[in-house]
Amino acid sequence: MARTMTGAEMVIKALQDQGVEHVFGYPGGAVLPIYDELFQQDKVKHILVRQEGGALHAAEGYARSTGKVGVALVTSGPGATNAVTGLTDALMDSIPLVCITGQVPTHLIGNDAFQECDTVGITRPCTKHNWLVKNVNDLARIIHEAFYIAKAGRPGPVVIDIPKDVQFAPGNYVGPSNIAHKTYKPRVKPEVAAVRDAVELMASAKRPVFYTGGGVINSGPKASQLLRELVRLSGFPITSTLMGLGAYPASDKQWLGMLGMHGTYEANMAMHDCDVMINIGARFDDRITGRIDAFSPGSKKIHVDIDPSSINKNIQVDLPIIGDCAYVLEEMLRVWKAKAPQLDKAALKSWWKEIDAWRARKSLSYKNSSDHIMPQYACQRLYELTKDRDTYITTEVGQHQMWAAQFINFEEPNRWMTSGGLGTMGYGLPAAIGVQLAHPKSLVIDVAGDASILMNIQECSTAVQYRLPVKVFILNNEYMGMVRQWQQLLHGNRLSESYTEALPDFVKLADAYGWTGMRCDHPADLDDAISEMINTKGPVLFDCRVAKLANCFPMIPSGKAHNEMLLGENVSDEEVSKAIGKEGKVLV
Amino acid sequence: MINPNPQTHYAGPALRQEVETRTLSVLVDNEPGVLARVIGLFSGRGYNIDSLTVTETEHEKHLSRITVITRGTPAVLEQIKHQLERLVPVHRVRDLTSEGVSLERELALVKVTGKGDKRIEALRMAEIFRAQVVDTSIEHFVFEVTGKPGKIETFIGLMTELGLVEVSRTGIAAIGRGAAAM
């Protein structure tokens, strides 16, 4: 049933019809009619951030922890350009977002009007799709289509740019329909024959490894359940990318830990030496593969991905399967159970023996100190003191992010929110706000660095306004630690601009925002301080003073293969400085 | 071996492959920005465009057809196809080159100035190439020539000797042979 209403009314009505409860945004001239409609209803709650970038990351955190589509609302011009980082972040990590941007009135478009920018032009390469709505009668359909595009297939962000005159104009509203999209119909169910071949290959494996990624998480909780069933049924080892942590429980004995540049020795060695690799929902990112021509040279590779363009993009695979992880895993399980394959038990046993030997290297070990808090120790203690609670972790980007990934273990999907693909510093605090809003009773912790946290520190104010008790655990070493580590490895330890002089006093800063500020600089006090942070009711900014020059190990240096990993235990500065060759230095 | 081109991840195995030229036909919704999406995809991901033509082909259905001539290794060409298919307004992508012989035609307008023998020679050449004279004065011709890209190249090459001053080309339109439609 078509109903007449203004464009601005349509926006709110469409959001309500899509089941949207929270919108993250910031008002401005070109979205005033929509804000006026927001004001006159109470089904859709608006969360006022302090900068549009925060709105996008908060929507990402909300989306990643719930599996729903995150929604942001920003004004034209600077509102839209501030949203670009969050949109790109969501595109890289396949997070479903709908971002509504205001635009100058249609007749002013192209006139360099006040707060005008070419939003659809600017956001075209950083969205899955975008629309400029020139006719109010298209608006409702486009909004519903936008939600479909954002979550269908490989999820991603979309932008709807609505000129102010279209927001005022009356038109016909249409509800969400189930009419199939005319062009965008991603394949979700796999080819049965391909799955059968995959199961056959898996069954014949002597040195198999599961390599899973964010696709499993995006596919929904059922995919994680099915993955667990398949992995246990097969008895194969499993590793995951940064994005996929939590899909498989870290406490399980088949779990090898994260793989990649800062992954565990056993995970990377298993990837290198395996004979059958089963990639489920990961994309052979360069942080994972290391040197491409030395990547897992002896293996047959199965690649399950919902996006056909991920197949053979970085790594040539032997058996591609296009489909949604949950559907593919379901089919794999069905075929596996029907076939009840005879596995090469002797070979698998000796494979596990090899893996156990790699595990025995204890690649995550570090030299603890009784005088200084080692950052690894801080993450370990944070994990130990929070693991029995209903906890969600977000991070910023840098060393702290890798330490969090290494030392905080996840048993469930959707508990770990981190900027993987784009590597956006400033992601963690707004993301934590989004997570906390979706899970008001849970413990939400942003593991942060002293540099990253300052990139979106203004969002402290948002947390206070909505009484969101997020905890920010800053591993403060006064450096941009990962930059400093790379300068040490690659640039003769010339620490160009990686030291932050004049950092704020985080405790006083917390106080200024109405947060609780805490500081801890001694390992003996750490447990009590963390407990105090957890038990403090409101938001807490925890300034954890850690050893300044700790490096993040293990590490596959740029341009090296998985079996050329640097382990932390015995690495001298000299070894570190020689680890990356001339060619590796040009890589990121 | 290290990736000698850090701007792309298509290195490694792809580098050992031969570069090929392909003609892609892309059927898209004729909506604002669709061409920008296609071009942006090529420039953003470092693909080549040798020729590109686009115009609405089915008015009632709002469909446009984009013909792209591109170059790359087989791995890159496969990526281009998949990346194009990922765009929301794209209906279909066909690789005309890999599907057998396709028809490729181009139109060029070629302006030649000169007097005397050169002018007569230009007109004679035009006849051989079945080029039409679409504009003339006592000191110039504008020829309209159509055909395979190679023929156009040859014609332009010959005209260079005979007073060529300006060329405008449409780019290539292509279609598969046989009864089957895209």
Side-chain angles (χ1 to χ4, degrees), chain B residues 11-181:
Chain B
L15 284 176
R16 284 184 282 277
Q17 298 177 324
E18 292 286 316
V19 170
E20 298 171 14
T21 299
R22 297 276 177 93
T23 306
L24 303 180
S25 228
V26 189
L27 207 60
V28 298
D29 277 331
N30 183 21
E31 60 177 38
V34 64
L35 182 60
R37 281 180 215 287
V38 171
I39 294 173
L41 170 66
F42 275 78
S43 65
R45 292 186 183 265
Y47 306 144
N48 300 298
I49 298 180
D50 284 356
S51 161
L52 179 128
T53 60
V54 54
T55 195
E56 191 175 61
T57 49
E58 290 176 67
H59 185 67
E60 297 77 30
K61 291 189 196 160
H62 283 288
L63 289 178
S64 286
R65 186 172 174 126
I66 300 175
T67 308
V68 192
I69 315 291
T70 183
R71 256 176 306 122
T73 61
V76 169
L77 291 164
E78 186 190 328
Q79 266 296 301
I80 293 175
K81 193 166 175 282
H82 287 312
Q83 293 291 351
L84 283 168
E85 282 167 342
R86 226 153 74 106
L87 297 178
V88 171
V90 168
H91 286 257
R92 274 192 294 289
V93 182
R94 269 184 61 186
D95 180 344
L96 292 176
T97 312
S98 75
E99 287 176 14
V101 192
S102 62
L103 295 165
E104 297 186 355
R105 292 294 180 269
E106 194 178 1
L107 182 147
L109 296 170
V110 181
K111 188 179 281 185
V112 179
T113 61
K115 287 180 177 170
D117 286 353
K118 282 199 170 175
R119 187 171 157 82
I120 295 162
E121 185 61 16
L123 199 58
R124 218 173 61 81
M125 286 291 175
E127 260 171 55
I128 294 169
F129 280 77
R130 293 197 201 93
Q132 308 284 321
V133 177
V134 289
D135 183 47
T136 186
S137 71
I138 54 164
E139 54 189 17
H140 88 284
F141 288 119
V142 175
F143 297 115
E144 173 196 314
V145 60
T146 60
K148 293 179 187 170
K151 173 187 165 186
I152 310 261
E153 290 290 342
T154 314
F155 184 69
I156 291 169
L158 289 165
M159 288 301 136
T160 313
E161 307 280 315
L162 301 170
L164 178 87
V165 291
E166 197 177 343
V167 177
S168 174
R169 298 172 69 160
T170 57
I172 293 160
I175 203 162
R177 282 186 186 271

Side-chain angles (χ1 to χ4, degrees), chain A residues 91 120 124-125 127-131 145 149 154 181-184 286 291-293 307-316 558-560 583-584 586-588, chain B residues 1-3 6 9-14 16-17 27-29 31-34 36-38 40 45 61-62 75 78-79 82-83 85-91:
Chain A
L91 186 73
V120 284
R124 202 174 281 127
T127 53
K128 203 172 155 187
H129 196 58
N130 60 14
W131 296 263
E145 189 182 336
I149 299 282
R154 180 176 178 175
H181 195 272
K182 80 185 149 163
T183 51
Y184 190 70
D286 56 69
R291 187 174 136 187
I292 284 206
D293 64 343
D307 180 359
S309 77
S310 288
I311 306 290
N312 295 338
K313 183 168 71 178
N314 302 331
I315 296 290
Q316 290 284 323
S558 285
K560 298 277 176 164
E583 298 90 346
V586 302
L587 298 174
V588 287
Chain B
M1 194 198 70
I2 234 40
N3 177 356
H9 298 304
Y10 305 123
R16 284 184 282 277
Q17 298 177 324
L27 207 60
V28 298
D29 277 331
E31 60 177 38
V34 64
R37 281 180 215 287
V38 171
R45 292 186 183 265
K61 291 189 196 160
H62 283 288
E78 186 190 328
Q79 266 296 301
H82 287 312
Q83 293 291 351
E85 282 167 342
R86 226 153 74 106
L87 297 178
V88 171
V90 168
H91 286 257

Side-chain angles (χ1 to χ4, degrees), chain A residues 48 67 92 116 203 258 262 298 345 374 390-391 406 448 511 518:
Chain A
L48 176 67
M92 293 286 270
E116 183 190 353
M258 181 177 76
H262 294 290
K345 290 207 175 102
M374 293 306 286
D390 173 21
T391 310
Q406 290 173 339
D511 198 38
M518 292 176 63

Side-chain angles (χ1 to χ4, degrees), chain A residues 431-450:
Chain A
I433 286 172
V435 174
Q436 186 81 74
L437 197 78
H439 309 277
K441 297 234 155 67
S442 307
L443 176 63
V444 182
I445 303 173
D446 169 27
V447 178
D450 50 273

Side-chain angles (χ1 to χ4, degrees), chain A residues 33-174:
Chain A
I34 298 173
Y35 272 85
D36 200 31
E37 291 302 328
L38 260 176
F39 188 79
Q40 297 174 48
Q41 55 85 53
D42 53 12
K43 274 197 195 152
V44 178
K45 289 183 191 66
H46 181 268
I47 308 302
L48 176 67
V49 295
R50 297 303 184 261
Q51 201 253 27
E52 290 86 350
L56 272 288
H57 295 318
E60 282 187 275
Y62 187 88
R64 288 180 70 163
S65 65
T66 61
K68 296 182 195 164
V69 177
V71 183
L73 173 59
V74 301
T75 193
S76 63
T81 54
N82 278 341
V84 166
T85 301
L87 291 169
T88 313
D89 193 273
L91 186 73
M92 293 286 270
D93 286 348
S94 307
I95 310 303
L97 292 189
V98 170
C99 176
I100 297 172
T101 55
Q103 182 57 277
V104 299
T106 319
H107 71 274
L108 286 179
I109 290 178
N111 279 21
D112 298 327
F114 176 63
Q115 292 197 328
E116 183 190 353
C117 74
D118 175 9
T119 302
V120 284
I122 290 168
T123 61
R124 202 174 281 127
C126 63
T127 53
K128 203 172 155 187
H129 196 58
N130 60 14
W131 296 263
L132 169 64
V133 186
K134 287 193 164 171
N135 182 341
V136 69
N137 290 312
D138 294 332
L139 179 58
R141 175 187 56 78
I142 286 174
I143 297 175
H144 299 310
E145 189 182 336
F147 276 85
Y148 166 75
I149 299 282
K151 65 187 167 194
R154 180 176 178 175
V158 297
V159 163
I160 311 168
D161 197 26
I162 314 176
K164 199 172 179 182
D165 56 328
V166 174
Q167 297 171 32
F168 278 124
N172 289 327
Y173 177 80
V174 290

